[in-house]
C-alpha cells in the first residue's frame, strides 16, 4: 500500500489544489516514502530475526546432572549468527537503497540520510560485527558444547561473507561522492573512513589467524608492526599521489603506534619481542624519513598547490 501511494504521489500531478492541500501533499510526499522504506526494512528484518530465534529455541537440550538437577542447554552461537546476519542484511538493504537513489531517484535529502545511516552501519560492523565474528571463531576453536552441537566451518567463513557486504556499502559511499546531484565534497571524509576500515579489518584479520594458529599471546607485538607498516604505506601513497591528508594520517598512525608501544605493549613483552618491535619500527621510521628527504621538493610543490 505504501509503495502504491508513493507511486501515485510521484506519477500523478494536479495543479488545481489549494495551498492547504499542497502543504498536506508536500508532507505526505515525505512521510509516505519514509514509511514505505521503514516497512520494507523491518519486514525482512523481522523475518530474519524470527528464523534464527526459532533455530535457537529448537536447539534446547535438557540434561540431568548426577544430583538430579535439570539444566537446559542452548546453542548460543545461533544468537551470534542471528545478529551478524541482521547486520549483513542492514548493510545490503541500505547499499541497495544507495544504488537505487544514485541511478533512479537522485534525491539529495534521501542521499544525505542514506549516507548517515551507511556511516553508522560501517562503524557498527567494525565494532559489534567483528566482535560477533570473533565469538563465532572462539566457539569453533574451543568446541563449546561439542557433545550437543556442531560448530562448522561457517563459524570461520561468515567473516568473509560479511566483508563482502561491508565492501558493498563502502562502494555505495564512493558512488554517492561521484554523484552530481549530491552537491557536497565528501571525498576526504571517505578517504579517512576507507583507511580506518582497512586498518581495522586488517587488524581483525591478523588477530583471527593468530588465534587459529595458537599465537594469540603475541598479538600486541604483531599489531604494532602491522600499524607501523600501514603508516609507511599511507606516507608512501601520500607522496606518490601528492595527498597531504594521507601523509599526515600516516604520521599520526605511526605516532599512535609508538605511544601504544611505550605505554601499553612494552610491559608485557619479553626481551626478544621488544627487540623485534623496536628494530621493525625503527626501520620503518628510517624509511619514512628517507622518503621525506628524497621527495622534499615533490612535497613542497604539493604544499604550495594546496
Amino acid at each position: 500500500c505504501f509503495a502504491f501511494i508513493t507511486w501515485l504521489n510521484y506519477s500523478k500531478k494536479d495543479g488545481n489544489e489549494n495551498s492547504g492541500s499542497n502543504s498536506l501533499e508536500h508532507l505526505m510526499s515525505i512521510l509516505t516514502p519514509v514509511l514505505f522504506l521503514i516497512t520494507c526494512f523491518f519486514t525482512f528484518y523481522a523475518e530474519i530475526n524470527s528464523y534464527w530465534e526459532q533455530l535457537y529455541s529448537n536447539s534446547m537440550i535438557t540434561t540431568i546432572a548426577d544430583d538430579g538437577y535439570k539444566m537446559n542447554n542452548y546453542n548460543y552461537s545461533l544468537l551470534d549468527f542471528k545478529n551478524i546476519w541482521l547486520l549483513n542484511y542492514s548493510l545490503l538493504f541500505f547499499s541497495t537503497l544507495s544504488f537505487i537513489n544514485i541511478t533512479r531517484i537522485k534525491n539529495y535529502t534521501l542521499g544525505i540520510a542514506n549516507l548517515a545511516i551507511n556511516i553508522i552501519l560501517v562503524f557498527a560492523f567494525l565494532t559489534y560485527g567483528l566482535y560477533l565474528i570473533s565469538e563465532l571463531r572462539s566457539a569453533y576453536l574451543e568446541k563449546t558444547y561439542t557433545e550437543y552441537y556442531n560448530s562448522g566451518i561457517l563459524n570461520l567463513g561468515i567473516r568473509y561473507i560479511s566483508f563482502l557486504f561491508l565492501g558493498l556499502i563502502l562502494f555505495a559511499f564512493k558512488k554517492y561522492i561521484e554523484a552530481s546531484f549530491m552537491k557536497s565534497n565528501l571525498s576526504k571524509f571517505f578517504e579517512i573512513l576507507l583507511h580506518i576500515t582497512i586498518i581495522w579489518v586488517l587488524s581483525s584479520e591478523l588477530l583471527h589467524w593468530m588465534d587459529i594458529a595458537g599465537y594469540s599471546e603475541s598479538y600486541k607485538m604483531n599489531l604494532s608492526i602491522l600499524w607501523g607498516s600501514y603508516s609507511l604505506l599511507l606516507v608512501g601513497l601520500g607522496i606518490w599521489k601528492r595527498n597531504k591528508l594521507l601523509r599526515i594520517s600516516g604520521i599520526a598512525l605511526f605516532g599512535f603506534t609508538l605511544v601504544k608501544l611505550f605505554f601499553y605493549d612494552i610491559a608485557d613483552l619479553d626481551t626478544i619481542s621488544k627487540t623485534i618491535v623496536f628494530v621493525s619500527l625503527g626501520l620503518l621510521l628510517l624509511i619514512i624519513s628517507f622518503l621525506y628527504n628524497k621527495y622534499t621538493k615533490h612535497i613542497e610543490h604539493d604544499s604550495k598547490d594546496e
Side-chain angles (χ1 to χ4, degrees):
C1 289
F2 283 133
F4 182 64
I5 294 170
T6 302
W7 176 77
L8 285 178
N9 184 63
Y10 282 96
S11 61
K12 306 294 183 182
K13 299 297 181 182
D14 188 355
N16 298 322
E17 292 92 342
N18 56 40
S19 59
S21 63
N22 281 337
S23 299
L24 179 61
E25 181 182 355
H26 178 70
L27 178 62
M28 292 306 296
S29 69
I30 297 174
L31 287 180
T32 307
V34 170
L35 290 173
F36 169 61
L37 291 175
I38 291 174
T39 304
C40 285
F41 176 76
F42 282 106
T43 296
F44 296 102
Y45 188 96
E47 286 297 316
I48 296 171
N49 182 77
S50 177
Y51 171 78
W52 288 103
E53 284 287 347
Q54 189 64 49
L55 287 181
Y56 173 74
S57 178
N58 293 340
S59 70
M60 185 186 74
I61 296 176
T62 302
T63 58
I64 301 177
D66 295 336
D67 57 359
Y69 178 75
K70 292 184 178 181
M71 183 173 62
N72 294 330
N73 298 303
Y74 292 89
N75 186 358
Y76 294 101
S77 292
L78 292 175
L79 294 180
D80 293 330
F81 273 115
K82 178 195 75 171
N83 291 325
I84 193 61
W85 274 114
L86 287 175
L87 186 54
N88 287 342
Y89 162 70
S90 301
L91 292 169
L92 176 62
F93 182 90
F94 287 101
S95 296
T96 304
L97 179 61
S98 300
F99 292 123
I100 292 174
N101 189 35
I102 292 168
T103 57
R104 300 296 298 274
I105 304 175
K106 299 182 179 180
N107 184 281
Y108 174 78
T109 303
L110 176 60
I112 292 296
N114 201 174
L115 277 175
I117 295 173
N118 290 356
I119 294 169
I120 293 172
L121 286 174
V122 169
F123 282 103
F125 180 88
L126 294 178
T127 52
Y128 185 56
L130 289 178
Y131 167 76
L132 292 172
I133 290 172
S134 67
E135 288 292 298
L136 290 171
R137 179 185 69 246
S138 298
Y140 176 82
L141 295 177
E142 296 170 6
K143 303 298 181 184
T144 308
Y145 298 119
T146 51
E147 64 272 27
Y148 307 122
Y149 311 110
N150 178 35
S151 296
I153 196 66
L154 187 59
N155 284 53
L156 301 180
I158 187 65
R159 70 186 291 109
Y160 300 106
I161 297 173
S162 301
F163 286 163
L164 292 177
F165 292 106
L166 178 64
L168 183 65
I169 205 165
L170 288 172
F171 181 69
F173 197 117
K174 183 177 183 296
K175 287 299 181 181
Y176 259 129
I177 294 174
E178 297 171 353
S180 58
F181 70 91
M182 286 303 295
K183 306 174 186 176
S184 58
N185 185 13
L186 296 172
S187 57
K188 290 186 177 180
F189 177 81
F190 173 72
E191 208 164 23
I192 294 174
L193 178 65
L194 177 64
H195 286 289
I196 288 176
T197 303
I198 291 174
I199 190 62
W200 206 315
V201 169
L202 287 177
S203 300
S204 173
E205 194 68 8
L206 176 64
L207 296 178
H208 172 74
W209 286 107
M210 287 179 61
D211 199 12
I212 292 177
Y215 295 108
S216 56
E217 66 279 357
S218 59
Y219 73 93
K220 292 182 179 180
M221 176 187 71
N222 291 307
L223 278 178
S224 295
I225 295 175
L226 172 65
W227 293 356
S229 301
Y230 198 80
S231 65
L232 173 61
L233 174 64
L234 287 177
V235 172
L237 284 174
I239 294 174
W240 175 46
K241 293 185 175 182
R242 297 186 176 185
N243 190 318
K244 185 177 181 180
L245 179 63
L246 287 180
R247 297 197 304 269
I248 293 176
S249 299
I251 294 173
L253 177 60
F254 197 90
F256 179 78
T257 304
L258 291 178
V259 172
K260 170 182 174 293
L261 175 65
F262 283 106
F263 291 97
Y264 181 66
D265 297 352
I266 200 169
D268 298 326
L269 294 177
D270 55 32
T271 304
I272 296 177
S273 298
K274 289 177 184 177
T275 304
I276 293 173
V277 172
F278 279 115
V279 170
S280 300
L281 293 181
L283 287 174
L284 292 173
L285 190 59
L286 285 174
I287 294 173
I288 292 174
S289 176
F290 168 77
L291 290 175
Y292 261 87
N293 288 328
K294 182 175 178 62
Y295 297 99
T296 300
K297 294 182 179 179
H298 188 82
I299 295 172
E300 288 177 350
H301 178 70
D302 178 24
S303 300
K304 290 178 181 178
D305 291 341
E306 294 178 358

